[in-house]
Amino acid sequence: MPYVMVQIPRSPAPASPSGSSVPTSADVARLAGVSRATVSYVLNNTSAVRISEPTRRRVHEAAKELGYVPHAAARSLRAGHSRMVLMPAPTIPVGPLYSQFLSELQGALGRLDYTVVQYGTAGVHGDEAARAWAELRPVAVLVPGSGLGPQGVAVLKRSGARAVVTLGPGTVDGAHALLMDHAAVGRAAAAHLYARGGRRIGVVVPEEPGLEVFSRPRLHGVRHALRGTDATVTELPLAYDEEAAARLAGRWRSLGLDAVFAYNDEYAMLLMRALKDDGVRVPGETAVIGADDLMLGRLLRPRLSTVHIELPSGRDLAELVDRAVRNPTAPPERREVLGASVVARDST
Amino acid sequence: MPYVMVQIPRSPAPASPSGSSVPTSADVARLAGVSRATVSYVLNNTSAVRISEPTRRRVHEAAKELGYVPHAAARSLRAGHSRMVLMPAPTIPVGPLYSQFLSELQGALGRLDYTVVQYGTAGVHGDEAARAWAELRPVAVLVPGSGLGPQGVAVLKRSGARAVVTLGPGTVDGAHALLMDHAAVGRAAAAHLYARGGRRIGVVVPEEPGLEVFSRPRLHGVRHALRGTDATVTELPLAYDEEAAARLAGRWRSLGLDAVFAYNDEYAMLLMRALKDDGVRVPGETAVIGADDLMLGRLLRPRLSTVHIELPSGRDLAELVDRAVRNPTAPPERREVLGASVVARDST
DNA sequence: TTGAAAGCGTTACCAC
DNA sequence: GTGGTAACGCTTTCAA
């Protein structure tokens, strides 16, 4: 019996569309010979419905063969909600402290089955940005800094966010607040310098844009701690480069300062180097304290005194978010979460 | 007349839903007294259709009053594509160099009207993660590091990604590659040390997990540059803490090294401090070179020699992405983008 | 100039 | 056990 050419019938609805298009659950259903509903049941392990084992296998195989990946947008459109937690991506380089906090947070939220997404806000700020975030319909929004106003919070909530949490210096109407009061850092530094005999106290204020969020509260904290004492506070604007530091050091003796809070350890290192190059003794003539308790402070000589900062654990924040999402009508929590404690070393 | 319980009728289609639900374009249409189509035309400034000015105003006012924000998922579901560029969020603290690159990139992509999103991949890696990313149907995916395999690329492309770009040491089938060959950093460092007379050369290898991606190529680069010379290479595992550094310094003289490439400037600072504490002269007994050209290297004494690293401009990468998206069938570009040049200071 | 309607991919309700 | 079907919010063609 001779081989015959058989006409391969062109299926009216091709089982595997011409490669270029993205496979949908309908494609999986066709290939497995079942309905779309069945595919959904199998792939989501829906417990309310019993599907025979052979069917399950066929569906899984079809999905694998097509490289099927469910469409998150369609899913959350249908469900009416998502499990996306949105944060704006940081716009300034972020230190190891905050990096680790962020990692922890992402891990913890991931374990609670949330998807964390950092939104690359290009240029837009605060309440305008909130509109862009709201388009993604996140179930929760975490906002570091102080850009977001009550308007922004309202927009986000109106568009379905069940929790808005700010991480920063203040509270915003309608949002939960993790208060990170950087004034406490300034207060700790100032109290320490004062206790060590400092009376004419300088405060380095970085000129780099974006750092005001931290530098201003730190400065205010110093002022606050020294109010009513005989100490004076001198603001010292400083750019993060050697020339600026050298210039500042050059007029150091004319400033007559006996102590300085250098914003953080990196600026402290910059300043101490410039002071040493100019022959100003630390801590003899001027005591220097930094902040953030970075490794580099331990490596300097004299060893750098610093303000150690304690951030909340990512797990705690993740649980707060989860609680807030589960119970959106609960009153906003506001919690003070920034711990500041002086680590006295040799520079003060 | 006694109070009676009245059954409040459930309105079949409330004109303005009871505040709790999210306003849709249908709500805007109702309030403005127009159809949903008109709302869409007005809010998207559709030029193909002329809408009378009074109508436009009514629509805008209604949208504003309701706090309407369009639903990105619904939109991209309908459109069949989005303008989301997805990157995995970094899992290790990222230096100022890379931070700035990321900022630039986000800004540049934003100007090209893309939305950059960093996906907080919790624990999952490589090709598994690719599935999760694919659910968001991004138009492009940028992957730093070397976690992604050809499988992952295939999954992403099958689910509609028009461009996959890896930023890392190697190329992956089907993906564009921005080759950041950290071996070049090691080669530059080694060549410099050798030229300065180093023959027994140590290479610090951080023990911190996640840094192997960089440390291994840097080590290999050193080995490669010194192959065929009379120099020897000694691998020096080192954790980023003072005790580990002190231990290493303690056995330094027994190692008999006359030069060391310390992975980067921070490890170099750690090591130099420990060496100095043990009385090992730098560069007299041992030359030290770091990498990354951080500010702190300039502040050390002796001033730290380092390998300056040049990353591609964010604008360039953004344009590559845009080109790739516009022309998905073009063959993958592979471009070498990491420049490494020695900055000789006083430590070598 | 505006409105009606289809359809994007998914899931959940209700019949079979 | 399984399959049809409606609905989520939006854009866009076609018709009025």
Side-chain angles (χ1 to χ4, degrees):
Chain A
M1 189 176 173
Y3 289 103
V4 292
M5 294 295 286
V6 285
Q7 169 100 31
I8 297 174
R10 197 145 35 135
S11 45
S16 67
S18 48
S20 73
S21 92
V22 181
T24 72
S25 74
D27 295 320
V28 177
R30 258 192 298 274
L31 184 57
V34 300
S35 75
R36 303 206 319 287
T38 305
V39 170
S40 176
Y41 292 143
V42 171
L43 296 184
N44 295 306
N45 263 319
T46 306
S47 50
V49 175
R50 289 256 156 293
I51 306 280
S52 71
E53 202 46 52
T55 304
R56 305 185 87 83
R57 234 198 351 265
R58 281 216 312 286
V59 169
H60 277 124
E61 278 166 8
K64 187 166 193 182
E65 177 171 340
L66 294 178
Y68 169 72
V69 175
H71 193 309
R75 176 178 293 183
S76 67
L77 184 58
R78 162 68 220 213
H81 58 86
S82 73
R83 298 207 35 101
M84 178 191 296
V85 175
L86 184 146
M87 315 180 54
T91 55
I92 53 170
V94 68
L97 206 73
Y98 191 73
S99 280
Q100 200 200 324
F101 168 65
L102 220 64
S103 270
E104 262 185 55
L105 176 62
Q106 289 188 2
L109 283 171
R111 256 165 273 128
L112 293 172
D113 203 38
Y114 292 96
T115 296
V116 182
V117 148
Q118 292 178 245
Y119 191 100
T121 308
V124 244
H125 290 299
D127 292 348
E128 303 175 51
R131 282 186 58 88
W133 305 339
E135 294 193 357
L136 296 185
R137 297 289 192 272
V139 69
V141 180
L142 305 183
V143 194
S146 58
L148 194 68
Q151 308 246 28
V153 176
V155 167
L156 289 168
K157 293 204 144 178
R158 281 210 70 93
S159 51
R162 291 165 65 91
V164 179
V165 183
T166 62
L167 293 77
T171 65
V172 181
D173 267 4
H176 300 267
L178 255 49
L179 291 166
M180 312 209 313
D181 179 16
H182 280 262
V185 179
R187 287 198 302 271
H192 175 73
L193 292 177
Y194 190 85
R196 293 278 168 121
R199 287 303 176 270
R200 294 188 47 81
I201 296 181
V203 178
V204 170
V205 179
E207 286 179 346
E208 277 63 36
L211 261 42
E212 315 87 9
V213 200
F214 308 116
S215 62
R216 224 160 8 199
R218 289 182 183 190
L219 171 61
H220 285 151
V222 172
R223 287 228 155 87
H224 180 262
L226 297 176
R227 191 155 302 154
T229 71
D230 54 335
T232 64
V233 175
T234 306
E235 203 169 327
L236 303 169
L238 176 61
Y240 194 60
D241 68 66
E242 283 182 279
E243 293 70 29
R247 256 176 281 129
L248 177 56
R251 59 194 185 92
W252 195 258
R253 290 207 162 101
S254 74
L255 289 166
L257 303 174
D258 54 17
V260 58
F261 169 47
Y263 174 66
N264 77 1
D265 290 352
E266 293 183 305
Y267 283 83
M269 181 182 186
L270 176 64
L271 178 61
M272 274 177 62
R273 167 51 55 199
L275 291 179
K276 184 177 282 187
D277 286 351
D278 259 39
V280 177
R281 283 169 296 113
V282 172
E285 284 180 73
T286 300
V288 177
I289 188 170
D292 292 358
D293 195 9
L294 302 181
M295 169 67 84
L296 67 82
R298 280 191 276 264
L299 303 178
L300 298 177
R301 297 295 182 269
R303 289 178 171 85
L304 181 65
S305 295
T306 191
V307 180
H308 177 84
I309 294 179
E310 193 83 43
L311 253 37
S313 90
R315 236 190 73 252
D316 287 353
L317 177 48
E319 279 163 11
L320 185 153
V321 170
D322 190 45
R323 234 180 301 134
V325 166
R326 297 175 112 92
N327 186 0
T329 59
E333 290 188 45
R334 28 211 66 185
R335 198 157 15 122
E336 180 59 65
V337 294
L338 184 143
S341 54
V342 168
V343 179
R345 298 206 185 97
D346 309 327
S347 67
T348 51
Chain B
M1 188 178 169
Y3 288 102
V4 292
M5 294 295 285
V6 285
Q7 170 100 29
I8 297 173
R10 217 177 340 171
S11 48
S16 69
S18 47
S20 73
S21 92
V22 181
T24 73
S25 75
D27 296 320
V28 177
R30 257 192 299 274
L31 184 57
V34 299
S35 74
R36 307 212 310 292
T38 306
V39 171
S40 177
Y41 291 144
V42 171
L43 296 184
N44 295 305
N45 262 320
T46 306
S47 50
V49 174
R50 287 256 154 295
I51 306 281
S52 70
E53 202 46 52
T55 304
R56 305 185 85 83
R57 231 197 354 264
R58 281 217 313 287
V59 169
H60 277 125
E61 278 165 7
K64 186 166 194 182
E65 176 171 342
L66 293 177
Y68 170 72
V69 175
H71 193 309
R75 176 179 295 186
S76 66
L77 185 59
R78 163 70 221 216
H81 57 86
S82 74
R83 296 200 47 94
M84 178 191 296
V85 175
L86 183 146
M87 316 179 56
T91 55
I92 52 170
V94 66
L97 206 71
Y98 191 73
S99 281
Q100 200 200 322
F101 167 65
L102 220 64
S103 269
E104 261 185 56
L105 176 61
Q106 289 188 1
L109 283 172
R111 256 166 272 128
L112 293 172
D113 203 39
Y114 292 97
T115 296
V116 182
V117 148
Q118 293 178 244
Y119 190 100
T121 308
V124 244
H125 289 300
D127 292 349
E128 303 175 51
R131 282 186 59 88
W133 305 340
E135 295 193 358
L136 296 185
R137 298 289 190 272
V139 69
V141 179
L142 306 184
V143 195
S146 57
L148 194 67
Q151 309 246 29
V153 176
V155 167
L156 289 168
K157 292 203 146 179
R158 282 210 70 92
S159 52
R162 293 166 64 91
V164 179
V165 184
T166 62
L167 293 77
T171 65
V172 182
D173 268 5
H176 301 267
L178 255 49
L179 290 166
M180 313 209 314
D181 179 17
H182 281 261
V185 179
R187 287 198 301 272
H192 175 74
L193 292 177
Y194 190 85
R196 295 276 167 122
R199 287 304 176 269
R200 295 188 46 82
I201 296 181
V203 177
V204 169
V205 179
E207 286 179 347
E208 278 61 37
L211 261 42
E212 315 89 8
V213 200
F214 307 116
S215 62
R216 225 161 7 201
R218 288 183 184 189
L219 171 61
H220 286 152
V222 172
R223 287 226 154 87
H224 180 262
L226 298 176
R227 191 156 301 155
T229 71
D230 53 336
T232 65
V233 175
T234 306
E235 203 169 326
L236 303 169
L238 175 61
Y240 195 59
D241 67 67
E242 284 182 281
E243 292 72 28
R247 255 177 281 130
L248 176 56
R251 61 195 184 92
W252 194 258
R253 291 204 162 102
S254 74
L255 288 166
L257 303 174
D258 54 17
V260 59
F261 169 46
Y263 174 66
N264 77 1
D265 290 351
E266 293 182 306
Y267 282 83
M269 181 182 186
L270 176 64
L271 178 61
M272 275 177 61
R273 167 51 55 199
L275 291 179
K276 184 176 282 186
D277 285 351
D278 257 40
V280 178
R281 282 169 297 112
V282 173
E285 285 179 73
T286 301
V288 177
I289 188 169
D292 292 358
D293 195 8
L294 302 181
M295 170 66 84
L296 67 82
R298 282 191 275 264
L299 303 178
L300 297 178
R301 296 296 180 269
R303 289 178 172 84
L304 181 65
S305 295
T306 190
V307 180
H308 177 84
I309 295 179
E310 194 82 44
L311 252 38
S313 90
R315 236 190 73 253
D316 287 353
L317 177 48
E319 279 164 9
L320 184 153
V321 169
D322 190 45
R323 233 179 303 134
V325 166
R326 296 176 113 93
N327 187 359
T329 59
E333 291 189 44
R334 28 210 66 185
R335 202 165 2 130
E336 181 59 65
V337 294
L338 184 142
S341 54
V342 168
V343 179
R345 298 205 185 100
D346 309 328
S347 67
T348 50

